[in-house]
């Protein structure tokens, strides 16, 4: 990665999902940047369960503090932006007979050279969406980025 790609928080979140690399390599990469991350999987017909799963993973990985409103608020908006991309602007799933099987990543870091820009959080989603019948789904992807 060149210098600008190296510190693009959204690109890093997407690459976590799309590239097959060893966890040790990712740990080394994010440690060099002094960033933190987590990954996980969720399958559901319920948007609320997707939000809850990502929030829980981020809290358990110490990416966000539950008692700090600004951190939870930033995470929520990044999740909703990514979910909106996955669902093409309609975050309804089960109500309209759609289901998703997603992998997710959450990355927290400082993507700008200026310290005053502060920390940012990115949520990336990749997987399938479609009717709740195996084989009737297609790929989908979403990305949300918000400042903390």
């Amino acid at each position: 990665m060149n210098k600008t790609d190296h510190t693009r928080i959204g690109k890093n979140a997407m690459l976590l999902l799309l590239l097959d690399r060893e966890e040790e390599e990712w740990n080394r990469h994010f440690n060099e940047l002094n960033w933190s991350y987590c990954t996980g999987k969720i399958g559901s017909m319920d948007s609320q369960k997707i939000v809850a799963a990502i929030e829980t993973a981020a809290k358990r990985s110490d990416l966000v503090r539950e008692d700090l409103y600004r951190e939870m608020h930033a995470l929520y908006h990044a999740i909703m932006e990514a979910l909106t991309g996955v669902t093409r602007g309609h975050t309804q799933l089960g109500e309209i007979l759609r289901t998703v099987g997603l992998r997710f990543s959450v990355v927290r870091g400082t993507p700008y050279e200026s310290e005053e820009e502060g920390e940012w959080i990115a949520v990336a989603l990749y997987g399938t969406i479609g009717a709740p019948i195996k084989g009737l789904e297609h790929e989908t992807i979403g990305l949300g980025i918000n400042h903390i």
Side-chain angles (χ1 to χ4, degrees):
M1 286 184 200
N2 65 39
K3 180 69 173 153
T4 57
D5 285 346
H6 188 68
T7 58
R8 297 219 181 260
I9 196 165
K11 185 171 187 176
N12 275 276
M14 294 304 303
L15 289 174
L16 260 171
L17 299 179
L18 301 175
L19 292 180
D20 292 323
R21 289 187 179 165
E22 297 295 321
E23 189 172 350
E24 293 171 11
E25 190 176 342
W26 285 119
N27 287 336
R28 193 169 39 255
H29 171 71
F30 285 109
N31 282 337
E32 286 174 11
L33 292 170
N34 201 25
W35 292 6
S36 51
Y37 74 97
C38 71
T39 60
K41 295 178 181 181
I42 179 69
S44 184
M45 290 179 73
D46 185 346
S47 299
Q48 293 174 347
K49 287 182 182 180
I50 296 166
V51 173
I54 297 169
E55 284 183 344
T56 299
K59 287 186 277 188
R60 286 186 179 161
S61 300
D62 293 323
L63 291 179
V64 292
R65 286 182 39 193
E66 189 172 11
D67 62 329
L68 288 179
Y69 174 74
R70 67 184 174 86
E71 292 190 6
M72 293 304 298
H73 187 74
L75 175 61
Y76 174 79
H77 280 286
I79 293 168
M80 291 309 295
E81 185 177 355
L83 191 56
T84 300
V86 162
T87 59
R88 297 182 184 168
H90 305 283
T91 56
Q92 294 174 307
L93 291 171
E95 302 91 347
I96 55 173
L97 296 178
R98 290 193 302 177
T99 188
V100 295
L102 301 169
R103 292 185 303 158
F104 65 84
S105 68
V106 183
V107 176
R108 179 177 178 159
T110 51
Y112 294 98
E113 287 184 29
S114 173
E115 234 178 84
E116 284 115 13
E117 295 295 346
E119 289 187 294
W120 291 70
I121 197 158
V123 174
L125 303 171
Y126 173 76
T128 60
I129 188 168
I133 302 167
K134 186 112 176 102
L136 296 182
E137 66 273 335
H138 59 81
E139 289 177 292
T140 188
I141 197 165
L143 175 65
I145 302 171
N146 205 51
H147 57 88
I148 298 177

